[in-house]
Amino acid sequence: MGVITGDRPTIALGTRLAVWRAGLARTATAFRSQPEPRSIGLFARGRQLVAGNFLFAGKLVQAPATAIWDVAAPDSGFSAETQGFVWLDDLAAFGDSAARKRAQDWTYLWIDRFGHGHGPGWTPDLIGRRLIRWVNHAVLLLQGQDKARSDAYFRSLTTQTHFLARRWMRAAPGLPRFEALTGLIVAALALEGKAGLVKGAITALARDCRREVDAGGGIPTRNPEDLLEVFTLLNWAVQALSEQDRAPPKELTDAIARIAPTLRALRHADGGLARFHGGGRGIEGRLDSALAASGIRAAPSASLPAMGYVRLSSGRTSVIVDAAPPPDARAGGEAHASTLAFELTSGRRPLIVSCGSGRPFGEDWQLAGRATASHSTLSLDGSSSSRLGKGGPDFATRAPVTALQIAQDSGGHHLSAAHGGWQGSHGLTHSRILTLDAHGRRLTGTDLLEARSPYDLKRLSAIFAQAPEGIGFAIRFHLHPDVDATLDMGGNAVSMALKSGEIWVFRHDGIGKLSLDASVYLEKGRLQPRATRQIVLSAQAGAFETRIGWTLAKAQDTPLAIRDLDREELPVPV
């Protein structure tokens, strides 16, 4: 019954609840319009799944001719990843009849075993993730199915949407809540008769856009791939609303507008994302697709950091530097002790990289990947620049960044920054100066360890009294596995051949010992870490100031024809 308040009639709370509950009581039997697949999977992972290789959360189970729900999950992380149904993207990417059959059979088997509103897979973020895939791949899942299976699909989709409408607020802030809210919006707007469920979700999504996406288009985890996931989810939410002639809230479109230039700043010359703080390069094509879908053409600022990263770009070379402390534990995610580390890509060929996230390969690899020594920067022997706990560092153990300066002139792009990660333990500040020349052919670097204050001098003097030989340190440059590296006979330089035919040469000013050591490249979607090499320049800090200079330069005799061919392969900027 209507209640009059002033001149505006409103619906009594009891009536509104009755209407809402009536909506929950009905099972949708069709979509308002045919859904289109929007999520992109990995062809290689789809092939592995068809072959019976189940790689989730760093655990590999080989079980040919076995349904995914008959595989004994080694741990809860493995189970959660299967319940999220992202593997549907991979099977769709592989796309043959065997992949289609597995996608269908495994989905309907899930309905039989788990579709009862409790147990594994019924957390808000997993439901949201699963709903998005079920809607995206509805044509794949319903193709050739009889009425009984079609009814079961829509009944389960409705049940999950109703459940999420009541429980989305239990998702943790950040990416999990963005997944839950977007999943609810996508599913409720796609199903007939469920659009009334989205009002609260739209309001909450607008609020989280204000809270979680900062003025510079960054998120608290500082994970570039997470930022791409949030950006993609927000794009999907806007598309779902627009397709139903609903105007998206301004907070949502403003957040997309802030994130787009930040993602461009975090994109290397080959189109892949910088791999920091647990993030990977991103699925090929996903970043360009998301940027195109957003319609935002704004370029990043050349004079300001983007989510704490600085991009130096000239010619066909991009350098991306982590110029901020790691995120603290309260941000969630996977913080790495990577302050002042950089990555370098030439054309379509990554050259200098970070080892990456070891999470897909288990806890030991994850811990190793977070250490400073797993990044292309300076590290003291046996000590990372930030002490990392299970989630991330607290405020007392993060490497604070000072004296950050970014400049550009006729000589190229310049970055100067310092961090005090070893100030408390050793009395040392690490400063790094980088210059990428105007043609993108030479990166010049200087690394400096110094005691800056009277307290630092006192602390360092006490260490020298116990260890007169000084403090061991190394400057590391991890190489991509496709780089063929050779240490010259005199041990003074390293030449690096890229598959494009380019030759890059590393040299230093003669201080320290140069070596070419083993390393690993940790990459999602592979069964094992990839073996690679690292350039290591090791020395002793035996004074109150130790300075080492080095260069990474493209050889002048790189064949022009090969360079031009590689240029033609570059993706068109979006």
Side-chain angles (χ1 to χ4, degrees):
M1 178 178 178
V3 176
I4 303 299
T5 304
D7 295 328
R8 294 185 58 193
T10 62
I11 304 298
L13 177 61
T15 303
R16 281 184 288 160
L17 285 174
V19 171
W20 190 77
R21 287 168 179 159
L24 291 184
R26 292 191 297 270
T27 296
T29 58
F31 290 114
R32 300 177 72 178
S33 60
Q34 181 171 299
E36 296 181 2
R38 293 194 174 105
S39 46
I40 302 171
L42 293 171
F43 178 92
R45 281 200 62 139
R47 182 169 53 192
Q48 290 171 12
L49 287 167
V50 170
N53 295 319
F54 299 93
L55 176 62
F56 297 105
K59 303 294 191 303
L60 171 64
V61 177
Q62 294 177 304
T66 304
I68 195 169
W69 312 118
D70 291 332
V71 174
D75 57 27
S76 60
F78 186 103
S79 176
E81 289 198 9
T82 60
Q83 292 284 338
F85 271 72
V86 175
W87 48 264
L88 266 183
D89 296 341
D90 302 322
L91 289 175
F94 191 52
D96 70 355
S97 58
R100 182 173 64 252
K101 179 172 173 52
R102 283 163 175 78
Q104 294 173 343
D105 290 349
W106 294 352
T107 298
Y108 292 107
L109 185 58
W110 183 92
I111 293 172
D112 291 339
R113 292 194 184 177
F114 304 106
H116 310 299
H118 56 83
W122 286 89
T123 59
D125 56 325
L126 289 179
I127 298 172
R129 194 180 310 167
R130 186 167 57 243
L131 285 174
I132 290 170
R133 269 68 193 184
W134 280 32
V135 173
N136 278 353
H137 301 295
V139 173
L140 171 69
L141 296 176
L142 292 171
Q143 183 179 359
Q145 302 304 300
D146 59 22
K147 186 177 185 303
R149 274 197 162 186
S150 177
D151 289 347
Y153 167 83
F154 279 107
R155 188 163 50 249
S156 182
L157 198 59
T158 302
T159 298
Q160 294 177 69
T161 304
H162 291 171
F163 187 98
L164 194 53
R166 298 191 300 267
R167 304 290 181 87
W168 63 259
M169 61 289 298
R170 297 188 181 183
L175 181 56
R177 187 168 293 170
F178 280 117
E179 284 188 305
L181 291 170
T182 302
L184 175 55
I185 291 169
V186 167
L189 291 179
L191 291 169
E192 283 189 347
K194 301 302 174 184
L197 299 177
V198 302
K199 183 177 180 181
I202 294 170
T203 301
L205 188 61
R207 181 198 61 219
D208 277 17
C209 284
R210 293 193 305 268
R211 292 180 178 177
E212 299 295 327
V213 181
D214 64 28
I219 56 176
T221 65
R222 299 194 58 236
N223 178 327
E225 193 173 20
D226 275 1
L227 183 64
L228 174 56
E229 289 297 318
V230 170
F231 186 66
T232 300
L233 290 166
L234 297 183
N235 275 337
W236 288 343
V238 167
Q239 289 168 351
L241 290 164
S242 299
E243 287 170 358
Q244 302 303 325
D245 296 324
R246 290 172 174 248
K250 186 175 185 297
E251 294 89 342
L252 180 52
T253 54
D254 285 352
I256 289 173
R258 295 196 301 273
I259 293 173
T262 299
L263 284 172
R264 287 191 171 94
L266 301 178
R267 180 175 60 177
H268 275 296
D270 65 341
L273 288 168
R275 301 183 340 129
F276 289 106
H277 298 295
R281 289 172 47 80
I283 296 173
E284 185 173 356
R286 188 165 192 177
L287 175 55
D288 285 346
S289 176
L291 288 170
S294 74
I296 305 298
R297 309 291 296 184
S301 169
S303 59
L304 295 173
M307 203 167 73
Y309 300 94
V310 174
R311 187 177 195 268
L312 312 177
S313 179
S314 297
R316 301 170 58 250
T317 302
S318 62
V319 175
I320 298 179
V321 186
D322 184 357
D328 69 84
R330 292 174 295 179
E334 181 184 320
H336 287 215
S338 55
T339 307
L340 300 192
F342 76 92
E343 295 186 327
L344 184 151
T345 295
S346 178
R348 289 183 61 89
R349 310 296 173 181
L351 175 59
I352 306 299
V353 297
S354 304
C355 288
S357 172
R359 178 178 293 179
F361 308 102
E363 291 183 3
D364 291 343
W365 279 112
Q366 182 180 7
L367 184 62
R370 297 171 65 200
T372 301
S374 294
H375 300 82
S376 296
T377 187
L378 181 148
S379 61
L380 300 189
D381 290 354
S383 176
S384 285
S385 57
S386 292
R387 293 193 298 277
L388 302 176
K390 185 175 181 180
D394 59 35
F395 285 111
T397 59
R398 300 164 72 203
V401 173
T402 59
L404 176 62
Q405 298 182 24
I406 306 168
Q408 181 179 354
D409 56 27
S410 59
H413 298 264
H414 313 279
L415 166 70
S416 175
H419 77 74
W422 294 294
Q423 209 165 357
S425 58
H426 296 79
L428 288 172
T429 294
H430 172 215
S431 301
R432 169 163 270 187
I433 303 169
L434 299 175
T435 294
L436 180 65
D437 76 0
H439 304 290
R441 299 184 63 86
R442 174 185 290 266
L443 179 68
T444 304
T446 300
D447 284 291
L448 173 67
L449 283 172
E450 60 180 332
R452 290 185 166 184
S453 70
Y455 172 83
D456 295 341
L457 292 170
K458 182 178 179 180
R459 181 77 182 109
L460 192 56
S461 296
I463 293 174
F464 287 160
Q466 298 295 320
E469 71 280 6
I471 300 169
F473 69 93
I475 307 172
R476 302 175 188 274
F477 305 83
H478 294 274
L479 304 178
H480 189 272
D482 291 340
V483 176
D484 185 10
T486 305
L487 183 67
D488 76 359
M489 295 296 291
N492 298 314
V494 175
S495 63
M496 294 154 282
L498 308 187
K499 284 193 172 183
S500 63
E502 288 183 351
I503 306 294
W504 286 72
V505 179
F506 175 88
R507 294 185 175 90
H508 66 106
D509 59 9
I511 298 175
K513 176 187 175 183
L514 184 64
S515 61
L516 195 56
D517 297 347
S519 183
V520 292
Y521 187 77
L522 304 168
E523 185 178 20
K524 288 191 296 186
R526 288 187 174 266
L527 300 182
Q528 298 292 337
R530 298 175 69 184
T532 186
R533 311 291 294 278
Q534 60 175 312
I535 300 170
V536 181
L537 184 56
S538 53
Q540 298 290 125
F544 296 126
E545 178 180 303
T546 303
R547 182 187 300 262
I548 292 183
W550 50 267
T551 61
L552 273 165
K554 190 184 299 186
Q556 295 297 321
D557 58 354
T558 299
L560 180 60
I562 295 179
R563 291 206 308 269
D564 287 346
L565 176 63
D566 198 34
R567 184 194 305 269
E568 292 173 0
E569 295 174 353
L570 284 170
V572 177
V574 176

